Amino acid sequence: MTVKKPKSKAVVHLSRAERARRRLLRSAGRDSDTLLIQYDNSIAGYDEEDVEEMREEHGVNVITRQTEDSLFKRFVGAFINPFSVVLIILAAVSLFTDVIWTAPGASDFTAITIIMTMVLASGMIRFIQELRSDNAAKHLSEMVETTVAVARKFHDKDSGDTISEKKEIPMDEIVVGDVIHLAAGDMVPADVRILSAKDLFVSQSALTGESEPVEKFARAEKSITRNPLELNNLSFMGTNVISGSATALVITVGDDTILGSIAQQLQTKAPPTSFEKGVNSVSWVLIRFMLIMVPVVLLVNGFTKGNWFEALLFALSVAVGLTPEMLPMIVSANLAKGAVSMSRKRVIVKSLNSIQNFGAMDILCTDKTGTITQDKVILELHLDIHGNDNIDVLRYAFLNSYYQTGLKNLMDISIINFAREAKLTNLWIDYKKIDEIPFDFNRRRMSVAMEKPDGKVDLITKGAIEEMLSISSMADYNNAIKPITDEIRGEILDACAKLNNKGMRVLGLARKSVDIPESALSAADENEMIFMGYLAFLDPPKESAEAAIKALGEYGVKVKVLTGDNDGVTRTVCRSVGIDAKRILLGSEVEEMSEEQLKKAVDDTDVFAKLSPSQKARIVTALREDGHTVGFMGDGINDAAAMRAADVGISVDTAVDIAKESANIILLEKDLMVLEEGLIEGRKIYANIIKYIKLTASSNFGNMLSVLAASAFLPFLPMLPIQILVLNLIYDISCIAIPWDNVDQNFLRKPRKWDASSISRFMLWLGPVSSIFDIATYCLLFFIICPQIAGGHFAALDGSARITFIMLFHTGWFVQSLWSQTLVIHMIRTPKIPFIQSRASTQVTLLTTLGIAVGTIIPFTWLGSQLNMTHLPLFYFPWLIGIILAYMALITVMKKVFVWKYGELL
């Protein structure tokens, strides 16, 4: 058995998902008999031989998952990044120079311990974060573990006949071409084409996000749409049958289904986020500087001092000095502190790295339902034919909804709630129900017969406008009962169209007097009715939505709405909350666009409607490729792929499991106002991370320039390798409090992106400033301080006096470097005047003060002697204070010039 395929004129290489989508679209346009012929089947179903053949050709009905990396591979991968690799290489060199190539008993593990502690901290934190398995695809698979009723043929050995039967089989055993039977409560097991249907309503909220069930039909649809979700004769894996029954033909199974294609997208590795790109770019900037500086320092010291081994040790220390060793710890502490702070604001962080992306976000894409709207149906208007509020319309509508015994839908409930607020619920005392004609999906209306206090009986009917006009011959028009003319009919339809354009769902209401029925009423009694007016329903905007969107705009975040709902409803809701809805891009238009066309369109459009899940993901990807940092907020299966594609995926605790697993951040309250708090926290985190990187990189770069200058002109090393490492360690410990630092309010108003070039500029501008004062310190020590203590200039000394000269020089520059490096934290953390216009947090102030104090005291202690330091004379400190004050004054001037030239400091 083979499935008949249409002939094609040319061979076009299409993706698997595209082939499956086209198969669905073709099936929608063909009648049932043609489809059964195409798949060589009948209503009787396949036999076992046919089943095996179709399974072999089209695959099994299972969503496959990629094999996960082993724990060891994940562990190793956590340490593979430019920053960690450089430190590991430096640690390896240090192992040889300080341990293996030393004399017995002279091994020094200090340098390697310092470096490897930083590497382990960085790698382990990343490894632990990534151990959080991505369960999204698992949840998709678990959703479909159920059975389905399928038509199958078998050969009866006793009679010799081929018999057809309807049997329940596991969902994963159905194949393309199977004829299945659906009933209320069933989950649709694959993507199917409806062959016959009776009052079939299916909830597609899992795929489209919209709560209202969709009616499905069996008729062929000749549509120009390229989105299968818009076709009402197709139904999809993972959706649920709300009511009615159907026979359907399986078109795609497993990974070829729309749900399967979403699962495949979730299994692919998420693209690098803004944060990951930023950290990597910073690492490469530092690596490039290191690759230039270290060989130069090695060569200068080797040629000028003649001791190449000592020059190698010193160059190694310079390399470590150029690397912000505490960066992983600073980043992790910032993110962890931010996660705790955000949890107090009802924002739960699943992925720590996403916090900074949250702050960098300049576009927020969000679904409409439940985020901008209240996600419930509200009775907005109860109007007569002329559009005036009418209490009789509300009264009769309440009686109809209250007394019907079928399943009350969202509109019935909203009518009852509205009537309660209007204090009309005591009507049940005055009225008595006689009979009802239940709702059915063919008539699209329902009726109740009510006996009034005077004993007369009214038949009250509500339903779709077209259906209500078809059974109404009269209208309550200008307080009189008049025949419905073409003019009145036109007025009614125009009024409904206006309400529809405002995004409202409209029902009509009619009544007529009837005699007390001797037998049960039927649909045949719904005729010659009097049309009374309209009931208009809306999923209204949240009260906080407009203010939240405005607040996000003030922080530089543009809100774009991506929804599966229709454009009329979407336009009305967006306008009401201040989102520009002049231009709406539909899913069918997105489907026709190339990637380049889509990039141009998404930047100019704020509202997108009738989108499929893959189209949402395409829009997010296009925005990211255009240079934006994009957040996506959603709560359905249809949002999972888009959340995965975004820099930061945001969901709510009431979302489906798949959406929560795909999200980086979960809100305990589905409200845009909550996002504002998280946004500010994310920007504080970025500010404090970039503070550390810029001030450390510029300070270290300045120190290394000073080292290079000293190496060229001094007859000895300006500082010992171990002293450089200890200097860096004290400075880095002083920086531990930076995650708790204050951030200037004006810095928080704009989204901030990682820009490695800005770090380079910062280093080149502000680093050399410290070198000026380092060289001033060299001159002070070499020509004034050290000669006075050692008893003469260096060239004239020998033996112990020369050693004293060198130790005093090392100690003096160690203390000056520590003071300048630590105090510059306060200078560079803000473009404002420090201590006056902008103050550091108490934690930063205490720790930097402690760092300076400890570094100044070390030369006077046993530890100082172990580090080859000596006591500094007291007259050195007035000189030191003068140099530091001059340094701070020049840094303040250079900050102003830098901001004037480049627009911002950090």
Side-chain angles (χ1 to χ4, degrees), residues 39 152 165 216 242 258 387 424 426 452 500 552 610 692 732 740 779 786 791 905:
Y39 285 89
R152 288 281 168 86
E165 67 172 350
K216 298 291 182 179
I242 301 299
I258 289 177
L424 295 178
N426 61 349
K452 298 192 288 188
N500 287 146
L552 289 171
K610 301 183 84 171
Y692 171 78
D732 286 339
W740 287 266
C779 295
C786 294
L905 185 70

Side-chain angles (χ1 to χ4, degrees), residues 370-419:
T371 307
I372 295 174
T373 67
Q374 297 178 21
D375 196 15
K376 59 182 180 181
V377 175
I378 301 290
L379 177 62
E380 283 283 307
L381 302 167
H382 46 94
L383 308 173
D384 61 22
I385 289 174
H386 311 292
N388 304 311
D389 281 349
N390 189 294
I391 193 67
D392 286 336
V393 170
L394 177 60
R395 182 181 292 113
Y396 278 94
F398 168 76
L399 291 170
N400 177 282
S401 294
Y402 184 81
Y403 281 104
Q404 65 132 324
T405 56
L407 181 66
K408 288 180 172 58
N409 62 29
L410 296 175
M411 287 180 274
D412 287 316
I413 293 168
S414 69
I415 290 169
I416 293 168
N417 289 338
F418 194 100

Side-chain angles (χ1 to χ4, degrees), residues 22 91 95 119 140 208 240 253 261 289 413 437 445 493 555 562 564 586 595 599 611 716 721 736 761 819 825 865:
R22 291 191 177 193
L95 177 66
V119 172
L140 285 167
T208 64
N240 297 288
V253 295
S261 68
F289 272 105
I413 293 168
I437 309 168
R445 59 181 183 264
L493 291 175
Y555 282 95
L562 278 61
L586 301 180
E595 298 306 320
K599 268 189 200 179
L611 297 175
F716 50 83
I736 288 175
R761 290 195 300 267
W819 278 46
I825 293 175
S865 63

Side-chain angles (χ1 to χ4, degrees), residues 832-843:
K832 299 178 179 180
I833 299 173
F835 307 111
I836 300 172
Q837 294 177 328
S838 176
R839 295 177 184 173
S841 67
T842 304
Q843 295 95 320

Side-chain angles (χ1 to χ4, degrees), residues 571-582:
R571 179 179 284 107
T572 299
V573 170
C574 290
R575 282 176 177 167
S576 67
V577 296
I579 296 175
D580 182 8
K582 289 177 186 173

